[in-house]
Amino acid sequence: MAELRRLRHAVAEEQDTIWTILQQAIQKRKEEGSEQWQDGYPNPEVIANDIEKNYAYVCVDEDDVILGYVALIFDIEPAYENIEGHWLTERPYAGIHRLAVNQEPYVKGIATWMMKAVEPICKELGYYSIKVDTNFDNIGMLRVFEKLDYVYCGEVYFRGAARKAFEKRLD
């Protein structure tokens, strides 16, 4: 039987748990030899801001255990305005940032599940495009983007570093 899970807004009381999950992701990126998230970002203040602005979502199981975290943002991402390449669309979009999966308990496929789960939320709010980016060496996220038919659009820059940028049309 498939495990029941859902995506819902995070609440302030979950900030410490979310930070623990992000710390696991930061450590995993370091162990994989990546520079991504090794510069003090993200941090607890970023999570608090995500929760305050209603960007913060958690994937929970049937016991409300948090399996993953993602920020789903419907505001313009300034870095996306200066892409070296071309987006598929020029319309309003949802941006996905700070996706991280709990390693304790680790449930295979949660990142993919969360990326799929945001799609109906976006459509319901009238956003038919999702834009994302990741480090060149984040093989796990690159595989998720490929699996879910995200299209490589070029490079964007965050804190001086180039990132691969992707978009998926939802219509």
Side-chain angles (χ1 to χ4, degrees):
M1 182 172 117
E3 187 170 338
L4 298 175
R5 55 181 77 117
R6 63 190 174 95
L7 193 68
R8 64 163 173 76
H9 277 287
V11 295
E13 295 75 25
E14 295 168 324
Q15 183 175 337
D16 290 344
T17 302
I18 293 165
W19 175 233
T20 297
I21 292 168
L22 278 163
Q23 286 177 302
Q24 292 169 353
I26 290 165
Q27 182 61 33
K28 186 173 187 210
R29 300 298 300 130
K30 182 177 185 175
E31 289 168 5
E32 292 172 351
S34 177
E35 296 294 315
Q36 185 177 4
W37 289 1
Q38 303 304 307
D39 61 356
Y41 170 93
N43 55 52
E45 292 76 28
V46 170
I47 300 163
N49 184 60
D50 285 350
I51 292 170
E52 181 182 318
K53 291 189 172 184
N54 258 357
Y55 298 162
Y57 284 82
V58 288
C59 170
V60 295
D61 67 12
E62 66 270 15
D63 297 321
D64 218 36
V65 172
I66 297 175
L67 304 176
Y69 174 78
V70 65
L72 181 59
I73 301 171
F74 298 101
D75 296 330
I76 288 175
E77 171 54 68
Y80 290 178
E81 298 296 298
N82 299 311
I83 188 170
E84 290 180 359
H86 298 283
W87 293 112
L88 300 177
T89 68
E90 294 300 323
R91 60 187 172 196
Y93 60 89
I96 295 178
H97 293 288
R98 298 179 282 288
L99 191 146
V101 173
N102 196 344
Q103 302 298 302
E104 299 168 11
Y106 175 77
V107 178
K108 186 171 172 46
I110 290 299
T112 301
W113 187 92
M114 287 192 300
M115 291 291 290
K116 286 183 193 174
V118 300
E119 291 182 16
I121 295 168
C122 295
K123 288 186 202 176
E124 186 177 304
L125 295 172
Y127 292 85
Y128 294 91
S129 169
I130 299 175
K131 295 180 181 179
V132 296
D133 66 87
T134 195
N135 232 48
F136 286 80
D137 59 6
N138 191 336
I139 303 305
M141 279 312 301
L142 292 169
R143 271 198 305 262
V144 169
F145 296 157
E146 182 181 349
K147 189 184 323 180
L148 297 179
D149 298 321
Y150 277 76
V151 176
Y152 175 71
C153 294
E155 293 181 15
V156 294
Y157 290 83
F158 282 93
R159 297 178 312 284
R163 314 266 300 211
K164 285 188 164 192
F166 298 82
E167 184 174 5
K168 181 174 184 179
R169 297 176 64 125
L170 300 178
D171 54 359

